[in-house]
Amino acid sequence: PRVYDGVRGGILAEEMGSGKTLICLSLILASKDLPTEAPDLYQGGRPPVRHRVASLADMAASCATRHAAPWKPFFQVSKDLDYAHCIAALQRNPGYYLRPLPDVRRGARRASEFPQKPKMIYLSSATVIVVPSNLLLQWRQEIAKHTDGLKVLVLAAGDAPVPRPRDLLDYDILLFSQSKFEKIVKTEGGIDESLSSVHFKRCIVDE
């Protein structure tokens, strides 16, 4: 079975001052309204079962977001019509997939050591950017200078917690200082629960 869902990546090795940051911001702007798809490994499972009957709008919106339908460009083109009700339904029902339970290891002392249900992973179109602390201000200035309409969450050194997973879905960019990101990893013994519950579009690591 496939373990990785078509991993893509590379190194942008242009000379200093040739616009590497601008290239990254251009990519983010070009794809900010395109939803992130669930990995092939987790597609095609059973459809979700609601505890109670929802409205037709909510069920249609849930189906659209789970299958990564690009709905934002459609509503931007159709500005003459009022789609507030549809947009609200789509925002109430963010896309997600369920990550199955891990295989229980032999010799495990008790089943309670493992989660009892699959973990819900939200689909986000945001980009995570991790930069050295001395470049954080430069990235913030470049974003403000060359982009318009992007929602940016800056997570620098300090004790401010990472927002809840559903709140992270409102952002286009999560800009981390390297020290803040390393602190989260060391404190949590891994990745923060909020971050591990979101499938981001991409990750950019500067320097």
Side-chain angles (χ1 to χ4, degrees), residues 102-116:
D103 293 332
V104 178
R105 298 189 304 269
R106 286 188 177 181
R109 288 176 292 180
R110 55 186 180 275
S112 60
E113 294 178 359
F114 300 93
Q116 299 301 305

Side-chain angles (χ1 to χ4, degrees), residues 127-201:
T127 296
V128 174
I129 304 176
V130 183
V131 304
S133 299
N134 62 320
L135 294 181
L136 190 69
L137 179 59
Q138 176 187 333
W139 269 89
R140 294 181 68 174
Q141 292 173 339
E142 293 293 299
I143 292 170
K145 181 179 180 181
H146 298 292
T147 70
D148 186 26
L150 291 180
K151 286 195 68 176
V152 182
L153 175 63
V154 179
L155 293 156
D159 297 324
V162 177
R164 297 176 303 174
R166 286 289 291 264
D167 295 332
L168 292 177
L169 303 181
D170 294 333
Y171 295 96
D172 299 301
I173 294 176
L174 271 64
L175 181 60
F176 278 93
S177 68
Q178 183 178 346
S179 58
K180 176 69 172 181
F181 195 82
E182 289 178 348
K183 182 178 180 181
I184 290 173
V185 174
K186 291 177 181 177
T187 302
E188 301 292 334
I191 296 297
D192 176 87
E193 178 65 21
S194 292
L195 296 178
S196 66
S197 298
V198 180
H199 186 119
F200 296 99
K201 184 182 289 291

Side-chain angles (χ1 to χ4, degrees), residues 25-64:
L25 293 177
S26 298
L27 175 63
I28 292 170
L29 284 170
S31 59
K32 75 182 184 73
D33 291 331
L34 299 178
T36 303
E37 295 184 8
D40 291 344
L41 190 63
Y42 303 126
Q43 290 182 7
R46 292 182 178 180
V49 177
R50 294 179 180 268
H51 297 297
R52 57 185 178 183
V53 177
S55 68
L56 179 59
D58 280 309
M59 290 190 289
S62 177
C63 185

